[in-house]
Amino acid sequence: MIRVLLVDDQSVVRTGFRVILQLAGDIEVVGEAANGPAAVDLARRLTPDVICMDVRMPGGDGLAATREIVAGAESPPSVLVVTTFDLDEYVFGALEAGASGFILKDSEPDDLIDAVRRLAAGHGLVDHTVTRRVITEFARRRSPRRAGDETLDRLTAREVDIVRLLAEGLSNAEIAQRLFIETSTVKSHLGRAMSKIGTRDRLQTVVWAYQNGVASY
């Protein structure tokens, strides 16, 4: 079962999400919080796999809570930011805080379920209304830097190629076709690369690639 923590200041929203997610059959809602500090506490005590996090809440916003949760655990849960706001600044803030995904509250129920499953499986995502432009612009806004020789030396040439193609928006199957290798081989190489550079999912790996000059704008 995928263990989920719901964080939103509106109880009716949390109730709706609980009903939607638990109908999926493979998802269990293990707790609810109405503000950021409560979310941080419950995340530590309940160790969920995924946290559905609101952005703006009285008593502590979701982005600050996300940053604390991600920074404070050896194996932090994946954070799915769920908000009514689709402005770029909220997406930038979510990515900067370490969130693994972003989805709008008015998305279809199946989209929410799919997002939770994807994050639980280690695949970050951005809502379909938010384009790759957002990720590249986010990376551009951060202090530009090049990956150090030591970091790049830890990656094999094949791993660098796969991370670069991932940043271009290719799926595992498309990367495999481009490089004439098996999809399972792509997955293995990508997993090792993520472990070496310290990223938790595909989305954060894409951001890393742009920030460190492995991918170009």
Side-chain angles (χ1 to χ4, degrees):
M1 294 288 282
I2 301 171
R3 295 165 52 82
V4 174
L5 171 64
L6 301 177
V7 184
D8 196 289
D9 62 305
Q10 298 182 41
S11 60
V12 66
V13 172
R14 299 197 306 271
T15 299
F17 285 176
R18 176 184 286 272
V19 171
I20 290 170
L21 293 175
Q22 295 196 155
L23 283 175
D26 59 342
I27 299 174
E28 176 187 9
V29 176
V30 296
E32 298 182 17
N35 56 57
V40 174
D41 177 63
L42 286 179
R44 290 170 177 166
R45 293 197 287 114
L46 300 177
T47 61
D49 300 306
V50 177
I51 300 177
C52 293
M53 182 77 74
D54 191 15
V55 173
R56 301 202 304 192
M57 296 175 289
D61 72 88
L63 298 187
T66 295
R67 189 174 293 107
E68 187 171 353
I69 289 168
V70 170
E74 182 176 344
S75 299
S78 297
V79 177
L80 175 65
V81 171
V82 188
T83 179
T84 56
F85 305 100
D86 60 352
L87 300 177
D88 285 356
E89 290 302 328
Y90 289 99
V91 184
F92 297 147
L95 294 176
E96 186 173 28
S100 298
F102 177 94
I103 194 170
L104 301 181
K105 284 185 178 178
D106 61 1
S107 298
E108 294 296 321
D110 285 347
D111 291 336
L112 176 62
I113 293 171
D114 179 63
V116 168
R117 286 173 174 162
R118 286 180 58 83
L119 264 66
H123 304 302
L125 84 163
V126 176
D127 185 88
H128 64 87
T129 62
V130 184
T131 66
R132 178 165 165 259
R133 172 189 58 79
V134 171
I135 299 175
T136 57
E137 180 62 21
F138 165 78
R140 192 194 304 274
R141 289 187 180 198
R142 298 290 296 274
S143 300
R145 62 179 186 270
R146 302 288 298 183
D149 290 340
E150 181 181 351
T151 300
L152 286 178
D153 285 346
R154 291 201 300 269
L155 298 180
T156 65
R158 179 65 82 192
E159 288 167 353
V160 171
D161 288 340
I162 289 173
V163 169
R164 182 181 297 113
L165 292 173
L166 176 70
E168 291 179 8
L170 275 64
S171 67
N172 283 1
E174 291 168 333
I175 294 173
Q177 185 176 28
R178 179 77 65 88
L179 298 178
F180 303 102
I181 58 179
E182 297 294 327
T183 302
S184 59
T185 302
V186 173
K187 185 176 180 180
S188 296
H189 280 305
L190 182 57
R192 286 194 290 270
M194 289 166 59
S195 178
K196 291 175 182 179
I197 64 180
T199 56
R200 303 181 312 281
D201 53 52
R202 296 169 69 91
L203 179 58
Q204 293 295 326
T205 303
V206 169
V207 172
W208 180 92
Y210 279 104
Q211 289 178 314
N212 290 278
V214 173
S216 59
Y217 299 110

